[in-house]
Each structure stands twice: as structure tokens, then as C-alpha cells.
Amino acid sequence: MTHIALYRAWRPQTFQDMVGQQHIIQTLQNAIREQRIAHAYLFNGPRGTGKTTAAKIMAKAVNCVHGPAVEPCNECDACRGITAGHLMDVIEIDAASNRGIDEIRDIREKVRYAPSEVRYKVYIIDEVHMLTSEAFNALLKTLEEPPGHVIFILATTEPHKLPATIISRCQRFDFRQVSLPEQTSRLLEICEDEHIDADEDAIQYIARLSEGGMRDAISLLEQVSAFGGSRITLEGAVEVTGGLAADQFYELAEAVKDRNVGQALPLVEKLMQAGKSADKCMENLIYYFRDLLVLKLAPSSGAMTERVVDEGRFRAMADAFSADRLFRLIDTLNRYQTEMKHALQPQTLFEVALMKLCADSGEAVEASRVEAAAASAAAGVPSGEVQRLRQQVDALERKLEQLAQSGTAVQGGQAAPAPSGGASARGGAQRSAISSRGGAFGSGGGMMRAAVKLEPFLAAANSQDTSRIRAKWGEVLHRVKEAKITVHAWLVDGEPVSSADGTVLVAFKNTMHRETTEKPANREIIERVMQEVLGAPYKLATTLMKEWHAAPSGAAKDQSGSGEPFQLQPEDPGGASEASRPPWVEEAVKLFGEDLVVIKDEH
């Protein structure tokens, strides 16, 4: 037999021939055996998993001369007629090309007539999700109350596009992807019967490429066997399918590992000259890094790719990457793969993706974290003690936030009463402020920002520099999103309102968004991106939108909304001695030390 007929020859003719859908086969056979045949079925699942094939086998089983039988005989006139496709009572319709209301009306007219040759009239509608909404409405009544001699079998790869009213009138069967061992076993069986000499690693590679579709696997086997003649090898399978060999994977991964752009770009050019497509290279590289990650996180799972021949070298490559960096590499490649679908120059985008991987700086951040953890361990600080201190810091920050909102002291989570009028009469209330080297502790955690003088920004609100920054702000947001999407989520709430003295003032509608953006790590990313986009170094300053709008009328002289620094009201206005400190100030001293916390008396 010639290899061009492989798929036709091996297309299942009975339920027993089907691979990977035992749960569906058993249900259908039991229904036939017990004479509980439904009037409408919905077969949905990935492409090439046997939906239309199962529909034809079902049509043969219910119409077999020796049945209805759990397996068709494939010898009677009914079975042979359905297999050949010329039996008039079994109609297969491609909804992609017959999707209008006229075709469905024609079906509604014909279902009233009894079958002329067999027991049941069976309508198989393939890709049923392609029908128009009018066609679905026309089909609805027929599906709800069909004649007893009619069976509808709907097949689709996208069941979510079907109206719920259609789905509710059908028995739904979810076809699943065929597992790798089942595909490999069937392909080896085909090779044995067709006298094709095939290496097992080549068969496993073909099975992996089919992504769970048995039809695609047999088609690929047919293609590779035509290329290799009487023998199928892994090298031949990689060559004919446009994949990358193990050595090419290794070279690309090594260039990324060493952050060597000069080594990566010539490899891309070499791949393109060999006829490889950029999108296929991107897909294969994602698989490669995925397998490195699986080997690193689950070394005993055995879920490595079959394309890797030298397991020792593969494990060494996995050890050279950290798990965090592999996660970042896969995320970056996946993002560029999505953009590549609409790119006019996919090779350029692939090269940019590799340069992005080589320029990945997340490892330095990870190393600093490791060093900080090692320093803490060397200092002998127990992890439990560190956790307790963090909880105390969080509690103190919540109290300070309440203070910022209410303007009164906080004790035990409740606002302390304001000083009496008599205290004010004795020369004014004594106030205290917690300050540090560089600023006071503010709400939202971390260090309170130095007060922003809005006057320079008000004068420059309509300047040429401000207009230029506003025009390029969209690009700044886009670049920040590429750098770190979480920072973009906070920054997008802000609006650049002015630029003065090399500082961009961003006004926020939400206090939490403003405070999160002000964190040192986030501020560093934003200022770096602003320098890249605007062509000059700029500092970031923030305010609230309501303060900015109130500033022209003098309602907002600084970041706190008043002309004075942020201050905290003590419980005892009579003095600022250690004995009279509020408990929350004592807690701040315990946490941060006397050298960082200062009690200020202002009269």
C-alpha cells in the first residue's frame, strides 16, 4: 500500500478502533445496548480527536442490519453505504459552508419524511458553531421535538459559541486530547503493519507535535515517511516538520544563559537561512524552556521532551538557570509569540525577543535577595523573630495611616481624644512628629515623602516641556508595562500635570495608587523609563488630584494639603518626656531605635 493512503486506511471503522475516548465509547455503547438512543448529541473537543468519526460509527451502529448493535458489522449494505458516504438517509453537513437559514429550513422540511433505506435518518452537522444566529433559531424547534426516526449529531471545536438553548437540548460529550503514550502506541502499530522502520524517539517527536490529535499524528507520520522512505529517524522528522534539532536548542539556550546577544543573533540568521519559520522557532524555544523548568521543579516526573537526546547535557542546562529566571523567560517569549501573529517582520520580533532574554536583569535582583537573606542568617536573626517584627511594623503602619486620615493620636487602634481647650490656652498644644533621616513616617507604609512645593509646578503647568511629556506619556506607560506590569497598574491611575526643574509631577486620583507608585523599587523603574523615553533624566514627584486642583486657590501648599509638615498629636500635651510618650511612639522607638525616631516639640 502506498503511504499517501495511510490516514484513510487507518481511520477507525468501529468504536473499538478509536483511541483515547473510552469514556465516550462506553457511554454510547451502553445507550445502544439498552435502547436509550437520544434524539440529539453534541460532540465537542480539540481537532483530530475523532468527533466526526465517532458520529459516523454511531450512524452505522444504529442502522446496521444486525443491530442496533454496539459495534457495526461494516459488511452489510447500510454500513458500507455510510462508510462510502452515498447512503441518502445519513447526511453529513459542513456548517462552515452551509451556515445560513435556508439550509436549516431545508433540513426542517426533510426530517418529516421517514428514512427510505435504513432504521434512522441521521444528520451530522460538522463545525456547528459556524451557523448564524438565525440558523440556530430555525434549528431550535426541530432539536426540541424531532420525529422519532431522526438523530442529530452536532460536532464542534468551539462549544462556547453555541447558544445555551441548543446545548441544553443535546447530550454533550467532551472529546479529550489523545495521550502521548496512546498516540505513540498507535503510530508504532501503523509502522509495523505498513512495514515502516521507525525510531521510537522519532515517533514520540511526531506524537508531541500533533498536540493530542490522532488525525494530525497520522498525517505527520505519512509526511515524514514520504520524506525518509523506508526509515524514519528523529533527524528526518525534525527536518521535514520545520522543528529545531537538540543542538540548536542547546546553542540558543546557552546564548541566553550567558546573555550573549552576539552569539544569539547569528544563530537566528542561520535558522532562517535553513528555512525555519520564526513562529515555529519561538514555539519550540518555549517548549524547551518549559521542559527545563519541569526538570528543575519536578526532576522525578519524567515529563521531559522527547526531542532531547543528550539527557546529561539537558540536566546541566537546567541547573544553569534559576526557576525564577525560567519563569520570566517563558513569560517574555509567550508575550512576543502573541504579538508575532500580527507582525509584518516575524524574524525581527524573534530577534528582539532573544535580545530581551539576554538583557534580563531579574537575576541581579534575585542575587541581592539571596545575599540579604544570607546576611540576616549570618547576623543570627531567627526567621520567626523577623516575621514578628514585620507584623509589628504592619500594625504601626496601620495606626499611622489612621492618624494621617483623622489628624489625632492613635492608641490601641482607637483615636485618642483631642487636647482640651485649657491645654491650648497654655501657650498652644504641644505636638510631636516622628521623623527620620530623610522624612517622617507616613500612611501606607514606608517613609513619608518630603513635602512637594506646588508653586513651581503651577507656574510650569502650561510650559513646552510639560506639553512634550504629556504627549509622550502613553509611551512611558507602555514601556513601564513591559518592564513590570504591576507598576503600570498603579501608575496608569496618575496623570502628568506639570514638569519643573527636571521633575515630573504626577497627580493621582487614589491615595493607595499614589503611595504604591512612590515605593523606591517602583519609582526607580518609572524614572529609568522616563529617562529612556524623554531623553533626559527626570525625577518623579506625586500629589493627589484634588490637591492639585485646589492649589491655585491656595488650598494645597504642599503634599499634605497644608503649609505645615505632617505632625502627630501626643496624648499628653504637657511635655515630650519619655514617660509621657504615647504607646505607639514607644513601639516605633522599639522597632527603629532612638537614632531613627525623634520627638519634636513645636510651640
Side-chain angles (χ1 to χ4, degrees):
M1 179 186 297
T2 59
H3 295 324
I4 60 172
L6 261 184
Y7 176 66
R8 277 198 304 274
W10 283 89
R11 186 168 186 170
Q13 300 300 322
T14 65
F15 285 125
Q16 188 177 0
D17 295 336
M18 295 188 64
V19 178
Q21 314 299 339
Q22 284 74 18
H23 60 301
I24 295 175
I25 293 170
Q26 181 178 349
T27 304
L28 293 176
Q29 287 181 328
N30 289 341
I32 295 172
R33 184 183 296 110
E34 298 173 8
Q35 298 294 313
R36 295 182 179 179
I37 302 171
H39 65 277
Y41 295 91
L42 173 62
F43 293 170
N44 66 266
R47 69 180 191 275
T49 51
K51 299 182 295 296
T52 307
T53 299
K56 289 186 175 181
I57 295 174
M58 181 72 176
K60 288 192 290 186
V62 298
N63 286 316
C64 182
V65 172
H66 306 289
V70 294
E71 289 286 7
C73 67
N74 287 313
E75 295 177 356
C76 64
D77 292 339
C79 289
R80 286 185 293 180
I82 295 173
T83 300
H86 56 66
L87 192 70
M88 295 182 60
D89 293 322
V90 176
I91 303 99
E92 184 176 357
I93 302 170
D94 178 18
S97 54
N98 300 278
R99 59 194 304 263
I101 190 172
D102 293 335
E103 289 82 358
I104 302 302
R105 282 176 177 168
D106 184 59
I107 293 176
R108 289 178 57 185
E109 291 296 325
K110 293 179 179 178
V111 294
R112 296 180 297 174
Y113 304 110
S116 58
E117 301 177 76
V118 290
R119 196 175 293 109
Y120 289 95
K121 183 176 284 190
V122 181
Y123 287 91
I124 302 172
I125 306 179
D126 199 11
E127 300 298 336
V128 68
H129 65 273
M130 297 292 290
L131 292 179
T132 63
S133 56
E134 294 82 3
F136 275 126
N137 291 333
L139 181 63
L140 191 60
K141 190 65 175 178
T142 305
L143 280 181
E144 187 174 20
E145 298 176 358
H149 56 264
V150 175
I151 299 175
F152 283 94
I153 304 179
L154 314 181
T156 179
T157 56
E158 303 182 58
H160 58 278
K161 292 185 177 180
L162 270 64
T165 49
I166 295 289
I167 297 176
S168 66
R169 286 162 173 80
C170 303
Q171 284 192 12
R172 177 171 174 172
F173 291 87
D174 295 325
F175 284 67
R176 66 188 183 194
Q177 291 183 336
V178 183
S179 68
L180 204 62
E182 289 174 320
Q183 281 188 312
T184 303
S185 176
R186 175 54 64 91
L187 293 178
L188 288 173
E189 180 184 348
I190 293 174
C191 290
E192 183 179 351
D193 287 359
E194 296 295 332
H195 306 292
I196 300 173
D197 188 12
D199 295 342
E200 187 171 353
D201 56 356
I203 296 300
Q204 290 175 337
Y205 173 75
I206 292 171
R208 168 64 69 88
L209 285 186
S210 68
E211 297 180 350
M214 198 65 234
R215 180 185 63 209
D216 293 350
I218 297 178
S219 297
L220 285 171
L221 177 66
E222 188 174 350
Q223 180 182 358
V224 175
S225 65
F227 172 80
S230 59
R231 180 171 179 79
I232 297 177
T233 62
L234 177 60
E235 291 75 16
V238 170
E239 180 68 23
V240 76
T241 57
L244 277 71
D247 289 339
Q248 294 169 315
F249 280 122
Y250 183 83
E251 291 174 358
L252 281 174
E254 189 174 36
V256 172
K257 173 180 70 70
D258 298 334
R259 294 184 171 86
N260 190 341
V261 178
Q263 179 184 353
L265 295 184
L267 288 173
V268 175
E269 188 62 33
K270 183 179 178 182
L271 291 170
M272 297 303 107
Q273 291 178 355
K276 312 296 184 185
S277 62
D279 57 341
K280 197 69 175 178
C281 291
M282 182 85 79
E283 177 186 344
N284 287 338
L285 197 57
I286 292 175
Y287 270 123
Y288 186 81
F289 284 125
R290 171 262 179 197
D291 292 322
L292 288 177
L293 186 60
V294 169
L295 181 61
K296 193 167 192 68
L297 298 181
S300 60
S301 67
M304 291 187 302
T305 175
E306 288 76 12
R307 291 170 290 192
V308 177
V309 179
D310 191 344
E311 184 176 337
R313 189 165 68 164
F314 188 66
R315 289 184 178 274
M317 181 62 72
D319 293 336
F321 287 92
S322 68
D324 285 344
R325 189 180 180 198
L326 287 172
F327 277 120
R328 292 196 303 273
L329 297 181
I330 293 172
D331 287 341
T332 301
L333 287 174
N334 183 62
R335 184 171 69 251
Y336 279 99
Q337 185 185 36
T338 303
E339 296 177 2
M340 187 178 285
K341 296 177 182 177
H342 311 287
L344 296 177
Q345 298 290 338
Q347 176 182 344
T348 302
L349 207 59
F350 183 45
E351 291 172 341
V352 171
L354 284 174
M355 287 189 282
K356 180 81 172 177
L357 299 187
C358 293
D360 176 55
S361 59
E363 196 104 336
V365 176
E366 179 188 351
S368 66
R369 290 178 180 172
V370 172
E371 290 175 3
S376 297
V381 181
S383 60
E385 181 69 14
V386 173
Q387 183 65 24
R388 185 184 66 81
L389 290 174
R390 286 178 179 173
Q391 293 173 355
Q392 290 179 347
V393 170
D394 292 341
L396 179 61
E397 289 173 348
R398 287 194 295 270
K399 293 177 182 179
L400 291 172
E401 184 172 358
Q402 294 176 19
L403 268 170
Q405 295 173 356
S406 64
T408 59
V410 177
Q411 181 176 7
Q414 299 294 330
S420 64
S424 300
R426 292 193 304 268
Q430 182 185 33
R431 307 178 204 174
S432 67
I434 299 180
S435 65
S436 73
R437 303 186 184 101
F441 289 96
S443 63
M447 302 300 292
M448 184 176 183
R449 298 165 297 277
V452 175
K453 299 295 183 181
L454 296 180
E455 287 81 359
F457 294 105
L458 290 170
N462 297 318
S463 67
Q464 185 176 359
D465 191 39
T466 300
S467 301
R468 182 178 69 89
I469 291 172
R470 286 174 178 167
K472 291 190 174 183
W473 193 250
E475 185 178 353
V476 171
L477 290 175
H478 178 72
R479 296 283 289 275
V480 169
K481 185 177 182 180
E482 286 185 345
K484 193 171 184 181
I485 193 170
T486 53
V487 179
H488 171 269
W490 301 112
L491 182 61
V492 76
D493 181 66
E495 175 186 343
V497 292
S498 183
S499 172
D501 301 326
T503 302
V504 177
L505 180 65
V506 179
F508 287 84
K509 303 173 186 176
N510 184 285
T511 303
M512 183 177 66
H513 288 191
R514 173 195 181 187
E515 293 174 348
T516 307
T517 304
E518 278 279 10
K519 290 183 177 180
N522 298 344
R523 172 191 287 272
E524 181 183 354
I525 292 174
I526 296 169
E527 291 179 347
R528 172 170 54 81
V529 170
M530 285 196 300
Q531 180 175 355
E532 294 173 357
V533 175
L534 303 177
Y538 280 87
K539 296 296 183 182
L540 174 69
T542 65
T543 186
L544 289 176
M545 188 65 74
K546 60 183 180 181
E547 296 174 356
W548 173 253
H549 290 320
S553 62
K557 296 181 181 178
D558 54 42
Q559 201 174 35
S560 64
S562 67
E564 301 177 352
F566 177 72
Q567 296 176 335
L568 305 180
Q569 187 76 21
E571 284 183 302
D572 179 11
S577 65
E578 183 175 347
S580 62
R581 293 177 188 166
W584 56 272
V585 176
E586 292 290 346
E587 189 173 358
V589 173
K590 292 178 183 178
L591 287 174
F592 303 104
E594 292 284 355
D595 58 335
L596 291 181
V597 178
V598 179
I599 306 298
K600 290 185 177 180
D601 293 337
E602 297 183 0
H603 301 282

